[in-house]
Amino acid sequence: MDKHNRKIIYYVAASLDGFIAGPKDDISGFVQQGKGVEQYMSDLQSFDTVIMGRRTYEFGYQYGLEPGQPAYSHMQHYLFSNSLSFEKAADSVKVCPLDIEIIRHLKATEGSDIYLCGGGQFAAWLLEHEMIDELKLKLNPLILGEGIPLFTNSKKAYRLKWQDTASFEDGLQIISYKIEY
């Protein structure tokens, strides 16, 4: 990989047992405020591009996101879906087919690192194509038992290299890893 490429960083909340949401997309048990969440919100400001799958984008609807509008006002959005479409989308929102060449092109363009926002299925697809460079895990002091896995249906094993851990009083930790392919 060219060292000048942008990195894709999967920055995601997870339970101790590896779920990014519980049954029926429930995230109510995750830490919702405090210094760790403030750190995450601050870290998001460093990204100018976000990629996500259809389910993650549509998950935002229940929090007031209007179809075709950006979830993050300061970022260019690339929504990867073979079925999503909008009557009218903001200039910063582009729907793309699930095509690894589009991801490679995005990584090769100028800009900040790329924020991979949620999506166990989309993240697993990117992981299988060795496109995720770093995992920033907002590890919540919570066991869900079932739900949406961090990497849905991923079949390969990957070694991660620890980079950093930040711990917060509410039990939340933000742990950064480099994925080694």
Side-chain angles (χ1 to χ4, degrees):
M1 180 170 74
D2 180 349
K3 67 181 180 181
H4 299 294
N5 277 355
R6 300 163 78 180
K7 292 185 289 191
I8 292 178
I9 300 175
Y10 186 22
Y11 201 155
V12 62
S15 63
L16 289 171
D17 53 347
F19 295 103
I20 62 173
K24 299 182 181 170
D25 297 335
D26 182 15
I27 61 166
S28 63
F30 287 115
V31 175
Q32 304 286 331
Q33 57 189 16
K35 297 224 180 284
V37 174
E38 290 169 15
Q39 179 65 55
Y40 164 71
M41 298 304 285
S42 175
D43 290 347
L44 288 185
Q45 298 307 308
S46 68
F47 295 102
D48 64 10
T49 302
V50 59
I51 59 175
M52 65 182 86
R54 177 190 57 79
R55 276 189 35 94
T56 298
Y57 183 75
E58 290 177 343
F59 177 75
Y61 295 170
Q62 65 187 296
Y63 297 95
L65 178 64
E66 296 289 328
Q69 297 307 301
Y72 304 95
S73 60
H74 69 286
M75 295 185 211
Q76 281 296 123
H77 291 59
Y78 293 87
L79 312 177
F80 287 84
S81 171
N82 293 323
S83 62
L84 191 62
S85 65
F86 306 110
E87 284 183 30
K88 184 176 181 339
D91 291 342
S92 62
V93 176
K94 180 174 173 143
V95 178
C96 303
L98 204 56
D99 180 344
I100 204 64
E101 291 308 316
I102 296 171
I103 299 290
R104 286 190 176 105
H105 175 75
L106 272 176
K107 286 184 74 153
T109 59
E110 256 186 64
S112 72
D113 288 335
I114 299 166
Y115 170 41
L116 167 54
C117 179
Q121 288 180 323
F122 185 51
W125 180 78
L126 289 168
L127 185 68
E128 298 287 323
H129 285 90
E130 300 183 358
M131 288 289 127
I132 301 173
D133 300 284
E134 292 179 17
L135 171 63
K136 283 189 81 138
L137 195 60
K138 291 181 295 181
L139 194 59
N140 281 258
L142 171 70
I143 295 171
L144 288 173
E146 61 181 327
I148 299 171
L150 194 56
F151 296 100
T152 304
N153 298 323
S154 182
K155 302 293 183 214
K156 291 190 209 171
Y158 299 92
R159 184 163 300 282
L160 306 180
K161 182 177 180 186
W162 174 83
Q163 294 181 305
D164 186 54
T165 301
S167 297
F168 302 92
E169 288 181 7
D170 53 16
L172 184 72
Q173 294 184 41
I174 298 177
I175 309 170
S176 300
Y177 297 98
K178 182 179 188 293
I179 300 177
E180 298 181 335
Y181 295 108

